[in-house]
Amino acid sequence: DVVLTQSPLSLPVTPGEPASISCRSSQSLQHSNGYNFLDWYLQKPGQSPQLLIYLGSNRASGVPDRFSGSGSGTDFTLKISRVEAEDVGVYYCMQAIQTPFMYNFGQGTKLEIK
Amino acid sequence: HLQLQESGPGLVKPSETLTLTCSVSGDADDSISSGSHYWGWIRQTPGKGLEWIASVFHTGSTYYNPSFKSRVTISVDTSKNQFSLRLSSVTAADTAIYYCARHLLNGFYNYWGQGRLLTVSS
């Protein structure tokens, strides 16, 4: 099974400052087609998770451009260029390389405002 | 704008069978029968976090997490634009928030229901 390890697990950030979350996979998430099957989700307090980034680096519809995803293979990063108060919540990475649908999520990184 | 809404009991007794239904609404292009999307159930617990349970395609093809396979059944009713999850022999460990969601073959869970809290208790 693919194991995803996120760090840090807790991330206090001052508004306006950048933030970075790492997601490391126990197996490569790069498909033979070249795509990396790694999504990022944000779960705001009291809400369902929402898709931020898919295929490692593609922003989902409506996601602000301050969010960016990068990485390949086993190491991925989600960056927020300037954190805003509305970015508070738990961020999850999810691998989608195992088929069919044996996807799993990282433990989550809780972002809070300082 | 696509919307998913879970419905079902909030409390079930141990050993009983749970049935949750997800109703899909939106434009004609958002129907369960259209496109290449899959429709799935994910649950969230404090201990295990987010956990995929099962998914179904509009043709009726089903996919299960082996951890649940012996207890779970997912089905789709295209005429009602709904899909359902049946979980048998529930225990306290099944206490969780259950989400229905739409996704593609390579992940991309881009629409989620608001979640349904299920408590298993006598």
Side-chain angles (χ1 to χ4, degrees), chain B residues 1-117:
Chain B
H1 180 67
L2 185 70
Q3 289 187 308
L4 286 74
Q5 178 69 57
E6 302 91 348
S7 61
L11 177 67
V12 295
K13 292 182 170 55
S15 79
E16 290 186 342
T17 295
L18 161 74
T19 299
L20 292 171
T21 297
C22 183
S23 299
V24 178
S25 61
D27 300 331
D29 291 343
D30 294 331
S31 77
I32 283 182
S33 301
S34 68
S36 55
H37 293 98
Y38 294 79
W39 306 87
W41 289 93
I42 290 174
R43 75 181 187 181
Q44 186 170 31
T45 61
K48 288 195 170 184
L50 292 162
E51 189 175 25
W52 172 72
I53 304 171
S55 292
V56 65
F57 197 56
H58 65 83
T59 57
S61 295
T62 57
Y63 309 86
Y64 297 102
N65 183 329
S67 299
F68 298 92
K69 190 168 184 178
S70 62
R71 299 195 294 133
V72 69
T73 304
I74 190 171
S75 60
V76 62
D77 187 336
T78 55
S79 66
K80 294 182 178 179
N81 224 28
Q82 295 177 337
F83 62 104
S84 298
L85 180 76
R86 192 169 178 270
L87 183 64
S88 64
S89 305
V90 298
T91 69
D94 295 311
T95 294
I97 299 174
Y98 287 76
Y99 296 99
C100 59
R102 188 184 82 166
H103 66 97
L104 293 174
L105 187 63
N106 56 323
F108 198 82
Y109 284 85
N110 62 339
Y111 284 99
W112 297 65
Q114 64 184 29
R116 182 71 175 166
L117 175 61

